[in-house]
Amino acid sequence: MESQPQELNEIHVIVIPYPIQGHINPMLQFSKQLASRGLKVTLATTPAFSSKFVHSEQSNSISIETISDGSTLTETANTKNVDAYIKRFDLIAPRSLTQLIETKIQLGHNIKCIIYDSSIPWALDVARQFGVFGASFFTQSCLVSLIFYQVYEGVLRVPIEGPWRGVFTNDTPLLIEAREMPSFVYEVGLYPALEKLVINQFTNYGQADWRFFNTFDHLECEVINWMQSICTVKTIGPCIPSKYLDNRIPDDNDYGLSLFQPETDACIQWLDARQSGSVVYISMGSMASLGDKQMEEIARALLKSNKFFLWVVRASEENKIPPNFKEETSEKGLIVNWCPQLEVLSHPALGCFVTHCGWNSILEAISLGVPMVAFPQWTDQPTNAKCVTDLWKIGVKVRKNEGGLVTREEIELCILEVMEGDKSNEIKSNAKKWKNLAKETMEKGGSTSRNIEEFVAKLQN
């Protein structure tokens, strides 16, 4: 009798992220960690993303498969009609995922587990249909997850009006004001489908075989301990490329997915010509869209600060840059449509990161020891910003005026405070501390490394 091909004997897991780049990247990185430990991994995503993956040697053990969401090649969950997209995704994607798994099984693949984005709890029903394990993956912080969980359970009533202390003790005081909570529980009704999406992460929370969180124990110890009192959770973060943490995976210096083309050579060559710690880096991520007036205030603040700056302005936002600003600042600044963020954050010339406080950007900055100016926009970002400033003390947060605008004076003040102000040394020292702790958790024997290895061992037994 002929033996089966080696790949059919391998333990196989299916990974399905929500089709947003900020959700795909950490789950792809976790997939690489699993593949490096001997598992066969298939990442299932939608047509808009499946064609965007960049082949690299370390991803050979990860196959990319397309599942249908009823969309065209260019439609994603980022589109304006997000409510319609979510409804269509929840209707079509379960059937398509089921068909993919049926095909794999018919071909003899040894599928043991479906790892699914917590935003798509129906994937656990698919796992049960095939008699395999189901593992929920949370792409936001554990603190934000706790808030959404308490809203789901009715412990917190929305819209939240007063301050919330949560699970923090007198040793770690953290009073979170209403405006510092995730926008979905503070400004209820603006995005009903998204609100339902984040709250319903917990519909079958206790039924999953594993609950993975993209964070690490030291960073959110009290919140993690509280969540452990409900159900066992496993921290498996920071989920960023291996080069910047444990070097376990050869040549893993990028996620391998990007919707935008980074201007790598221009950015790195420009940074190479700057002194250590002299550059302000500004990026509002892949989704945030600032108003014309706010963009002008950022531009004028950069001009007034007299600091070197690297500013990421997506092509769709370029028309909001003040006229002649590029020419006025050509000796001080570089404006690009997209950049290789990890390479920028790890560059010695960098001194400060002005960020929208998306969770992936926060973890990248923490892992690379970069001080921050928190400039949150919506979703979980206000809560992440609160942690940056008041819990981890690795940055300062901008304040809006009565009209909801962050003025040029405020932005300049925050940049200078982080770069050279009275708090600068403390902020930089704390950033270095968290960088070391992030690296420690991923290295052999660290808590994240142990959690991943225990999961793999369970599947292999």
Side-chain angles (χ1 to χ4, degrees):
M1 182 177 179
E2 293 184 3
S3 62
Q4 289 185 319
Q6 175 60 34
E7 68 172 17
L8 299 186
N9 296 321
E10 294 174 326
I11 303 299
H12 196 155
V13 298
I14 306 292
V15 177
I16 175 169
Y18 204 82
I20 300 174
Q21 181 161 355
H23 285 230
I24 294 173
N25 278 347
M27 295 191 74
L28 175 60
Q29 206 56 44
F30 183 52
S31 297
K32 294 178 189 177
Q33 288 285 345
L34 298 178
S36 74
R37 290 167 168 83
L39 299 187
K40 176 70 177 175
V41 182
T42 292
L43 190 140
T45 189
T46 57
F49 286 96
S50 59
S51 61
K52 300 292 184 180
F53 285 91
V54 180
H55 174 77
S56 57
E57 290 302 318
Q58 84 274 359
S59 63
N60 282 341
S61 296
I62 301 173
S63 62
I64 308 299
E65 297 279 0
T66 302
I67 59 169
S68 175
D69 58 356
S71 302
T72 66
L73 281 173
T74 57
E75 276 187 300
T76 72
N78 300 343
T79 56
K80 292 181 180 179
N81 196 5
V82 65
D83 287 11
Y85 179 87
I86 291 173
K87 290 177 182 177
R88 188 169 65 242
F89 179 83
D90 285 344
L91 176 66
I92 296 173
R95 296 199 298 261
S96 186
L97 177 64
T98 298
Q99 291 168 0
L100 171 64
I101 296 171
E102 286 175 342
T103 299
K104 294 287 186 185
I105 291 174
Q106 288 169 5
L107 292 172
H109 289 268
N110 185 17
I111 295 176
K112 282 291 191 73
C113 184
I114 298 176
I115 302 172
Y116 58 93
D117 193 310
S118 61
S119 298
I120 47 177
W122 52 255
L124 182 59
D125 297 330
V126 177
R128 295 294 182 253
Q129 176 184 338
F130 290 99
V132 301
F133 292 118
S136 185
F137 187 108
F138 289 79
T139 56
Q140 71 260 355
S141 74
C142 205
L143 174 58
V144 168
S145 298
L146 167 60
I147 293 169
F148 289 150
Y149 174 80
Q150 292 198 346
V151 172
Y152 176 80
E153 290 291 329
V155 177
L156 286 175
R157 294 186 178 182
V158 296
I160 292 172
E161 297 177 355
W164 180 79
R165 189 184 184 110
V167 299
F168 296 96
T169 66
N170 290 329
D171 295 330
T172 314
L174 191 70
L175 193 68
I176 303 178
E177 301 292 340
R179 286 184 177 272
E180 296 169 329
M181 299 288 270
S183 59
F184 296 139
V185 300
Y186 170 64
E187 298 177 300
V188 176
L190 292 180
Y191 305 95
L194 288 175
E195 291 167 14
K196 182 179 179 181
L197 190 75
V198 298
I199 302 304
N200 284 351
Q201 295 177 89
F202 298 95
T203 53
N204 52 15
Y205 177 76
Q207 298 169 32
D209 297 293
W210 288 275
R211 286 153 291 274
F212 295 127
F213 283 83
N214 183 21
T215 187
F216 58 99
D217 291 357
H218 296 295
L219 195 64
E220 301 188 86
C221 56
E222 292 196 339
V223 182
I224 292 167
N225 288 340
W226 194 94
M227 295 294 280
Q228 292 278 24
S229 69
I230 308 168
C231 291
T232 302
V233 303
K234 296 293 184 181
T235 55
I236 42 78
C239 291
I240 73 170
S242 181
K243 171 185 175 181
Y244 302 98
L245 286 171
D246 61 346
N247 274 312
R248 178 187 179 89
I249 307 171
D251 302 319
D252 180 30
N253 54 15
D254 200 317
Y255 292 104
L257 166 70
S258 181
L259 289 179
F260 308 104
Q261 184 63 41
E263 300 175 47
T264 302
D265 290 344
C267 292
I268 302 306
Q269 289 173 13
W270 187 85
L271 287 170
D272 286 344
R274 312 296 161 214
Q275 293 181 344
S276 177
S278 66
V279 174
V280 179
Y281 167 53
I282 312 98
S283 176
M284 294 294 160
S286 61
M287 292 181 66
S289 179
L290 304 182
D292 292 12
K293 182 60 177 174
Q294 188 61 80
M295 290 287 282
E296 182 179 358
E297 292 302 301
I298 293 174
R300 298 309 173 195
L302 294 173
L303 188 61
K304 288 184 63 182
S305 73
N306 200 34
K307 298 293 183 184
F308 291 110
F309 67 86
L310 171 58
W311 188 9
V312 173
V313 181
R314 301 191 309 276
S316 60
E317 303 285 291
E318 271 191 303
N319 64 325
K320 300 176 182 178
I321 300 174
N324 303 319
F325 179 74
K326 284 187 178 182
E327 292 75 15
E328 291 177 38
T329 59
S330 59
E331 294 185 2
K332 280 290 185 179
L334 177 67
I335 300 176
V336 297
N337 293 148
W338 202 246
C339 78
Q341 182 158 290
L342 285 162
E343 289 187 57
V344 170
L345 290 175
S346 63
H347 198 284
L350 205 70
C352 173
F353 181 19
V354 181
T355 173
H356 66 309
C357 296
W359 186 237
N360 291 332
S361 289
I362 294 293
L363 285 179
E364 289 170 1
I366 287 173
S367 300
L368 294 166
V370 180
M372 287 174 266
V373 171
F375 204 127
Q377 300 300 304
W378 70 316
T379 68
D380 61 338
Q381 296 160 18
T383 309
N384 297 339
K386 175 72 171 181
C387 293
V388 165
T389 57
D390 294 357
L391 184 60
W392 307 319
K393 302 184 187 301
I394 50 178
V396 298
K397 184 176 71 172
V398 298
R399 293 178 298 178
K400 295 180 180 179
N401 64 16
E402 292 181 356
L405 188 73
V406 183
T407 65
R408 63 193 71 182
E409 292 81 11
E410 173 69 9
I411 298 167
E412 179 194 8
L413 179 67
C414 288
I415 289 173
L416 295 178
E417 182 63 40
V418 171
M419 297 282 278
E420 57 193 41
D422 294 339
K423 295 182 179 179
S424 179
N425 288 337
E426 178 188 1
I427 288 171
K428 291 174 183 176
S429 176
N430 288 334
K432 183 178 180 180
K433 177 191 75 173
W434 288 113
K435 174 184 177 179
N436 291 336
L437 288 171
K439 185 176 181 180
E440 176 186 296
T441 198
M442 291 296 297
E443 292 176 338
K444 187 175 182 180
S447 57
T448 288
S449 180
R450 290 198 309 271
N451 287 339
I452 296 174
E453 287 165 3
E454 288 172 3
F455 170 65
V456 172
K458 178 69 173 180
L459 295 186
Q460 290 175 336
N461 288 338

